[in-house]
Amino acid sequence: MKVLIQLYKQLVDNYEHIITFVKRDIRNIRVDTKLGLFWVIFPPLVPLSVFIGLAALDIVRKSADMPFVLYIVIGITIYRFMTQLITTTVNIFKSERGAIKNFNVPLIVLIFSKNAITFFHLIFRIILVTCVVLYYGVEIRLDWLLIPIVFIFMTMFSLSIGVIFAFKNLLYKDYGKGINLMMVYLLFVSSVIFPFPKDNLLGIINSFNPFNTYVDFLRGIFYHGISYVNYTVLGITSLISIVLFVYACNLIYHAQYKVKSVL
């Protein structure tokens, strides 16, 4: 708890640095372009638009319990958010090498500011999801109040995996390359595009894949409601996310002064 409080204070005390770094990242995306903010808004929508088109044309259709366009939009939105958090954090020492070496900025500030773009992208994806939801006339449910809570656990898990692999990647670049490769395979076993079978041994094992758990839960509760929830799996996954988050916070707090010497 002491470490969490200290990291929170570092964020509050350095909010001006956070704003500066976020503005810098947005400026870097826009630099030497004619379309400017188009390159901030459009790229996160590309995977969604591709699969929406494929689903609308009936080229891919594997889900029968909800409109497949909705299935795809929600699945990719959640999965891309998680993987973007992880990959951005894994590469934090590479992308922020100059700031770490030349400025006395806490690591938590750099991690938070660097992932701000990820949350910007999430906003644009949510707007698209909202349009699809309105189109299909999905019933608004009180169960949706659980979604922000689970999003917190999902964010904790993703950031934790990113932080743990970031420190590994600092010594051996194989970890960064490996995590990118793993994301490709996880896409197909996490019910993002096609439902993963639940009634066999692999399905039972995969039900404890946190990517699959969060994608399946958030999509399920969104469309089917609270009756869809497997509380055991969700509870175990959330507990793992909390433990990993506490561990990652300790890594950030205690190792931040040693990183400069390694860089």
Side-chain angles (χ1 to χ4, degrees), residues 3-4 7 10 89 92-93 106-108 111 159-171 243-259:
V3 168
L4 294 176
L7 292 178
Q10 288 179 358
T89 307
I92 193 70
F93 297 124
L107 285 179
I108 188 65
I111 292 171
L159 284 173
S160 301
I161 295 298
V163 168
I164 293 169
F165 275 89
F167 281 101
K168 299 290 186 182
N169 194 48
L170 183 61
L171 300 176
V243 172
L244 286 175
F245 184 72
V246 172
Y247 175 71
C249 287
N250 275 280
L251 275 179
I252 294 170
Y253 183 74
H254 293 293
Q256 58 187 348
Y257 299 109
K258 300 178 182 178
V259 171

Side-chain angles (χ1 to χ4, degrees), residues 63 65-66 71 74-76 78-79 82 147 150 154 189-198 203 206-225 228-230 233-234 237:
S63 175
D65 62 346
M66 71 174 67
Y71 184 96
I74 297 176
I76 290 191
I78 297 167
Y79 185 78
M82 294 181 72
I147 293 177
V150 177
M154 184 175 68
V189 297
S190 299
S191 303
V192 178
I193 302 174
F194 309 115
F196 196 90
K198 299 180 180 180
N206 193 54
S207 66
F208 291 94
N209 162 13
F211 293 89
N212 182 76
T213 299
Y214 287 127
V215 169
D216 189 54
F217 167 79
L218 288 169
R219 182 196 284 129
I221 196 171
F222 187 84
Y223 192 78
H224 297 291
Y228 189 86
V229 178
N230 184 327
V233 174
L234 180 63
T237 306

Side-chain angles (χ1 to χ4, degrees), residues 38-208:
F38 173 85
W39 298 113
V40 179
I41 298 172
F42 184 70
L45 303 181
V46 171
L48 290 174
S49 60
V50 170
F51 282 105
I52 286 175
L54 293 174
L57 294 172
D58 283 336
I59 296 175
V60 291
R61 182 168 296 278
K62 293 292 182 180
S63 175
D65 62 346
M66 71 174 67
F68 192 60
V69 171
L70 192 61
Y71 184 96
I72 284 289
V73 168
I74 297 176
I76 290 191
T77 295
I78 297 167
Y79 185 78
R80 284 294 299 153
F81 173 70
M82 294 181 72
T83 55
Q84 195 172 346
L85 277 178
I86 292 172
T87 54
T88 299
T89 307
V90 166
N91 294 307
I92 193 70
F93 297 124
K94 176 182 177 181
S95 61
E96 297 293 349
R97 180 184 296 267
I100 295 171
K101 292 179 68 174
N102 302 321
F103 302 101
N104 189 27
V105 181
L107 285 179
I108 188 65
V109 172
L110 295 174
I111 292 171
F112 188 87
S113 60
K114 197 67 180 179
N115 278 299
I117 296 295
T118 303
F119 287 94
F120 287 155
H121 287 175
L122 177 64
I123 292 172
F124 303 136
R125 292 187 182 112
I126 287 177
I127 292 173
L128 183 56
V129 170
T130 302
C131 293
V132 174
V133 166
L134 292 175
Y135 176 81
Y136 283 102
V138 177
E139 178 187 354
I140 298 176
R141 305 169 179 270
L142 286 176
D143 305 351
W144 291 3
L145 294 175
L146 282 176
I147 293 177
I149 299 174
V150 177
F151 244 95
I152 292 174
F153 289 124
M154 184 175 68
T155 301
M156 291 168 63
F157 171 79
S158 304
L159 284 173
S160 301
I161 295 298
V163 168
I164 293 169
F165 275 89
F167 281 101
K168 299 290 186 182
N169 194 48
L170 183 61
L171 300 176
Y172 303 103
K173 304 305 178 187
D174 307 78
Y175 286 96
K177 297 179 184 296
I179 197 74
N180 290 329
L181 185 63
M182 185 176 67
M183 295 301 173
V184 176
Y185 288 98
L186 282 171
L187 175 69
F188 296 100
V189 297
S190 299
S191 303
V192 178
I193 302 174
F194 309 115
F196 196 90
K198 299 180 180 180
D199 55 356
N200 54 29
L201 180 59
L202 285 178
I204 295 173
I205 295 173
N206 193 54
S207 66
F208 291 94

